[in-house]
Amino acid sequence: MSIDAKMCSFYDTVQKWTSELVAIKSVNGTTGEVDILDKVESLLRSFHYFSERPCMVWTKVMKEDPIGRKNLFALVSGEKGPSNKVVLIHGHTDTVSTEDYGELEDFATKPEELMRKFQQLELSPDVKEDLESGEWYFGRGTVDMKSGVASHLCVLKYLSENPETFAGHILFMANPIEETTHGGIMDALSELQRLKTENNFEYVTAINADFVGPLYPGDTTRYIYLGAVGKLLPSFYIKGKETHVGQPFEGFDPNLVASKLVEKINLNMSLVDEAEGEYTLPPVALKMEDLKNTYNVQTPISSFVYFNYFVHKRTPDEVMIQLQTVATEAFNEVIDYLNEQYSYYSRKNSRQSENLPWTTRVMTYEQLMTKLLSEKGEVVKERIQEILVNNRDNDLRIITRQIVSELLKMDNDQSPVIVIFFSPPYVPHNLVKEQSKIERNLKKVLINTLNDLEVQTGHHFEVKKFFPSLTDSSYLSMDDSKEAINYLKCNFPEMDTLYPVPDDTIRDLNIPSINVGTWGKDAHKMTERVYKPYTFQVLPELTKNLTLNLLSE
């Protein structure tokens, strides 16, 4: 695609920096997350602007992080006139693992070699066509989202060389730990708050460059998002009743309940959330296991299952009410099934049968805590603290599960039960709703900028509401109320310790957040690839123009 001669020439630099960033294996949870931010800092300090102003590039090391991860910042100030307006451009630098590349794992971060290796493989027609076109760049992190960070760096470099073209400030931010718990962006919030307080900054928008791709085969629309989907992780601990396999009807199998929950919840479109005419993806089961850790002929005592649950506007209490209904139905259906099978077994053996003794019992975590505090008092809280101390290094979902498991041991009622609770992470949902002057202006400027660039480049843009994948943008503003967060905390075991979301800071910052992302395919797959003509040239031009237009208003 030909690029208008008036546009800046970003392509070669974005490709070069993308290649250099991809070459650093920055898998989430490894020291590579530190290495890549060192590289980004080095690139920033090579800019003439920062060589003269070295203090305008700085890092914030995360407290108590076992591998010393950090957030990186750089600030460029315009010279066109006094202004406290700030455009934040940001992105994450970690990736998912490279194990999915199999025997080609050593080449996952070496795009040129990887593409040569791919030439020898049997590929799907779509992947093969893209590979042979020469317009796609393959490798882990190419589209999610190191090319986006490279694009932001090029925009920042251009603006740092032309400060007379704008008033106000451009703040660059790069964050670790996006692919799991979003710990980087949450740690960075205090720094954004400090900058706002000390400099009287007014954040007019945050521009993320997280990946965007086709929504259906053949789709070439470049989607821009005015908000971010939220996420809850509803979890179900099922306590059954153990028995010998020789007397199976004397027990209550928690695996039957877990499987029934998965059947009723997994990919169930009736559970999706809708707002502004857009629908979330349905819930997806991310974990299902019984908690028996060795072989014997005793049936399992307990099982555990949790689901990815996207939301656009639904509150935690609404989700809980919905899932209590589903869990009650599942429990009832399992009891009916057991009674049917026991009756059938008895008839086959010429015996009389009565209904089995099971009754449906479904509780929220808050209900369980209220019950136990009434029965046992402060010893309940002491037991929870013991669990936290003894399980510091465990997966956070395991810790919440262990808390529920230990609490059920204290319950005077030892009958089978489902306990529903929330586990980490909690990801807020947000949307630029045009209720404030800043948001209305952002929407107007964005539309005008896209219209102009559409004429220049021939790329078709479409503005949508909710970025459909998880993103750090969720933590820059939030639509959940204080009351909703309080309810969440009541049903989220030790949320303030295990997953402390600084919701007050997020509300105070309240940065209108949009996603103007890289464009590609197959993020988190071995065929991950970025479309070079758009991402290496049009994307930085769009970000640059949008930033300048916002800072000239």
Side-chain angles (χ1 to χ4, degrees), residues 340-464:
E340 289 170 5
Q341 298 307 308
Y342 181 56
S343 176
Y344 182 57
Y345 171 80
S346 298
R347 291 197 307 273
K348 286 289 186 182
N349 288 277
S350 301
R351 299 175 185 172
Q352 293 292 326
S353 68
E354 297 179 353
N355 278 347
L356 297 167
W358 316 121
T359 58
T360 296
R361 193 159 77 106
V362 176
M363 305 177 71
T364 67
Y365 180 76
E366 182 180 21
Q367 289 169 339
L368 176 62
M369 279 293 292
T370 300
K371 182 177 189 291
L372 291 179
L373 288 170
S374 174
E375 292 175 355
K376 308 293 184 180
E378 290 301 306
V379 68
V380 175
K381 295 180 181 178
E382 293 172 7
R383 181 73 62 86
I384 291 174
Q385 291 309 308
E386 290 175 5
I387 297 168
L388 294 175
V389 170
N390 294 330
N391 293 278
R392 289 173 178 167
D393 297 329
N394 266 347
D395 179 274
L396 295 177
R397 278 113 328 243
I398 292 177
I399 297 175
T400 57
R401 186 201 79 199
Q402 288 176 326
I403 290 173
V404 174
S405 175
E406 287 298 312
L407 292 182
L408 283 174
K409 292 176 183 178
M410 304 175 71
D411 189 2
N412 291 339
D413 185 348
Q414 288 295 302
S415 65
V417 64
I418 299 174
V419 179
I420 312 174
F421 57 99
F422 295 108
S423 296
Y426 158 65
V427 182
H429 59 88
N430 58 43
L431 177 63
V432 176
K433 296 179 285 295
E434 303 175 68
Q435 293 177 351
S436 68
K437 181 179 178 181
I438 287 178
E439 292 185 349
R440 288 191 293 273
N441 185 66
L442 170 60
K443 178 73 175 294
K444 180 190 73 173
V445 172
L446 174 63
I447 295 299
N448 290 338
T449 303
L450 293 175
N451 288 341
D452 290 344
L453 201 60
E454 200 167 77
V455 172
Q456 280 185 288
T457 67
H459 288 269
H460 174 61
F461 297 94
E462 182 177 332
V463 176
K464 296 180 74 68

Side-chain angles (χ1 to χ4, degrees), residues 205-221:
T205 193
I207 304 174
N208 197 350
D210 217 337
F211 77 94
V212 175
L215 298 182
Y216 53 86
D219 183 19
T220 60
T221 301

